[in-house]
Amino acid sequence: MARIRNKKRKTFVKPVKVKKHANVDHITGDKVPKSFVFSRGKLPSPLKQLQMDLRKLMLPYTALKLKEKKRNNLKDFLNVAGPMGVTHFLIISKTDTAPFLRVARTPQGPTLTFKIHEYSLAVDVAQSQLRPRSPQDLFKNPPLIVLSGFGSAEQHLKLTTIMFQNIFPSIDVNTVKLSSCQRIVLLNYNKDTKLVDFRHYSIRLQPVGVSRRIRKFVQNHQVPDLRSLQDVSDYVTKAGYGSESEADDEAATVTLTSDLNRVNKASTKSAVKLQEIGPRMTLQLVKIEEGLCSGSVIFNEYGTVVDKNQEGRKQDNTEDSSEDDGDQEEDGDEEEK
């Protein structure tokens, strides 16, 4: 008789390692800024898409699939932000007049409120381009931040500069890898119109003096079709491609300090190309609050802000005057007696 085994075989399951982003930068030792991008109130579909574009822009240190409910208030997001190490809130809202974007520092502020005059989604920017560019690892690393026109002595511009500098991780020029610098966020302040142009670009390097066909041949790892040609040199020197070396302008070229890929090698000159990937916004700073969406108003574009020191001086003066009036009344009573 055959034996029947009742023993159950145990299958080995390989554990899945979940890659977690570090809370502290291993180079600078500073806390890595993380963000929540959410909305307050009901938004139309274009603004909802703008919210998703901002979440994608803030990658990898943001919650891309953050779920919101109508009953959630600001305290709910703040309670979750503490254990997760979230340092900034980007809040989109809509009123009858215009949409607004609030950038707040957790947990105690300050809060910057921007009025969105114009905006374009990432889809609209891609459709306007002949060859939109979106590599797979484009959002693997955080973007670089560039501020232009904010060099002013005004207090609200200084506070805006500090806020946007701290919303993205800082980099060390001596140790940063060129392969991690693939995106850039540009904020340009116009002193005449008092508007901020918000742009998002992808960084692309091209070797100077190399034809487009040779560059594509090295990058794509594909054998070209040479059946219609008599010699390999015809492929390189074909009309329209042989003399093409894009962006040979000296102002747009840099000398690489390390190898980037098979085309861009160290100690060679490469041209820096910026291609907009969106979203695009035109912002106006209208208010700065001392706390997290609350507290005293530090700056207001549409009205004057009373200084606290002046208020304290006025109160002291009124108290002194009331004390003087009381002393005069006592002196008058003594004279009557």
Side-chain angles (χ1 to χ4, degrees):
M1 296 179 64
R3 293 182 179 180
I4 300 175
R5 290 187 177 182
N6 295 326
K7 295 182 179 180
K8 296 182 179 179
R9 294 183 179 179
K10 295 181 180 180
T11 57
F12 176 74
V13 179
K14 187 177 180 180
V16 179
K17 294 183 179 180
V18 180
K19 187 178 180 180
K20 296 182 179 180
H21 296 287
N23 294 327
V24 180
D25 192 351
H26 66 283
I27 297 175
T28 61
D30 299 332
K31 185 177 180 181
V32 176
K34 298 180 181 180
S35 62
F36 274 171
V37 183
F38 57 94
S39 61
R40 305 302 298 151
K42 190 175 181 181
L43 295 181
S45 56
L47 284 178
K48 289 182 180 179
Q49 186 60 41
L50 178 64
Q51 175 182 325
M52 295 303 300
D53 290 344
L54 287 177
R55 288 183 181 179
K56 198 172 181 180
L57 182 145
M58 299 301 294
L59 285 175
Y61 300 109
T62 190
L64 185 61
K65 299 181 180 180
L66 180 64
K67 294 183 179 180
E68 307 173 55
K69 295 182 180 179
K70 293 182 179 179
R71 63 175 180 268
N72 291 137
N73 52 25
L74 195 60
K75 290 184 179 180
D76 297 334
F77 293 100
L78 191 59
N79 293 333
V80 179
M84 297 185 66
V86 176
T87 57
H88 292 83
F89 285 168
L90 277 75
I91 309 171
I92 300 178
S93 59
K94 177 72 170 64
T95 62
D96 296 335
T97 56
F100 290 88
L101 172 65
R102 284 180 290 178
V103 182
R105 172 84 182 189
T106 61
Q108 299 178 352
T111 303
L112 280 65
T113 303
F114 294 92
K115 181 181 179 181
I116 304 177
H117 284 265
E118 297 176 349
Y119 68 92
S120 298
L121 303 176
V123 179
D124 301 331
V125 175
Q127 290 179 353
S128 64
Q129 298 174 353
L130 183 62
R131 294 175 181 174
R133 180 175 180 267
S134 182
Q136 295 180 355
D137 57 346
L138 185 62
F139 297 93
K140 185 179 179 180
N141 298 291
L144 308 177
I145 180 71
V146 176
L147 301 175
S148 175
F150 287 90
S152 176
E154 298 181 7
Q155 190 67 25
H156 65 280
L157 292 181
K158 289 183 179 179
L159 191 57
T160 305
T161 303
I162 295 173
M163 178 67 78
F164 279 104
Q165 283 179 345
N166 296 330
I167 204 172
F168 296 104
S170 58
I171 62 171
D172 189 357
V173 181
N174 299 322
T175 58
V176 66
K177 295 182 180 180
L178 294 179
S179 58
S180 63
C181 303
Q182 296 191 7
R183 293 186 294 138
I184 183 172
V185 174
L186 173 63
L187 277 79
N188 182 33
Y189 177 74
N190 192 335
K191 296 181 180 179
D192 299 329
T193 60
K194 296 183 179 181
L195 297 178
V196 179
D197 295 326
F198 187 97
R199 300 291 185 269
H200 185 206
Y201 298 95
S202 65
I203 303 174
R204 182 163 49 101
L205 294 178
Q206 293 180 356
V208 177
V210 180
S211 65
R212 183 179 176 184
R213 287 204 164 195
I214 296 298
R215 187 174 65 251
K216 283 194 172 184
F217 170 71
V218 178
Q219 290 176 344
N220 297 335
H221 308 280
Q222 295 179 357
V223 179
D225 187 5
L226 305 177
R227 289 177 296 179
S228 60
L229 303 177
Q230 296 180 356
D231 193 72
V232 179
S233 60
D234 296 339
Y235 176 79
V236 180
T237 61
K238 190 176 180 180
Y241 292 94
S243 61
E244 180 185 1
S245 57
E246 298 180 3
D248 285 341
D249 188 9
E250 290 294 333
T253 59
V254 293
T255 302
L256 301 181
T257 58
S258 60
D259 294 342
L260 183 62
N261 48 38
R262 296 183 63 185
V263 181
N264 298 281
K265 295 291 184 178
S267 302
T268 59
K269 286 189 176 183
S270 298
V272 180
K273 287 283 189 176
L274 297 181
Q275 185 170 353
E276 189 173 3
I277 55 179
R280 177 193 301 181
M281 293 185 292
T282 302
L283 308 173
Q284 181 186 7
L285 181 63
V286 294
K287 187 172 62 173
I288 299 179
E289 296 171 288
E290 195 174 30
L292 182 65
C293 301
S294 61
S296 60
V297 178
I298 303 175
F299 168 79
N300 193 346
E301 180 66 25
Y302 302 113
T304 57
V305 180
V306 180
D307 190 5
K308 292 182 179 180
N309 297 328
Q310 294 180 357
E311 288 183 350
R313 292 169 186 171
K314 289 181 180 179
Q315 290 178 0
D316 295 337
N317 293 332
T318 53
E319 290 176 359
D320 294 338
S321 61
S322 61
E323 290 177 358
D324 295 338
D325 294 339
D327 295 337
Q328 291 177 1
E329 290 179 357
E330 291 178 359
D331 296 337
D333 294 337
E334 292 178 356
E335 290 179 358
E336 289 178 357
K337 290 179 181 179

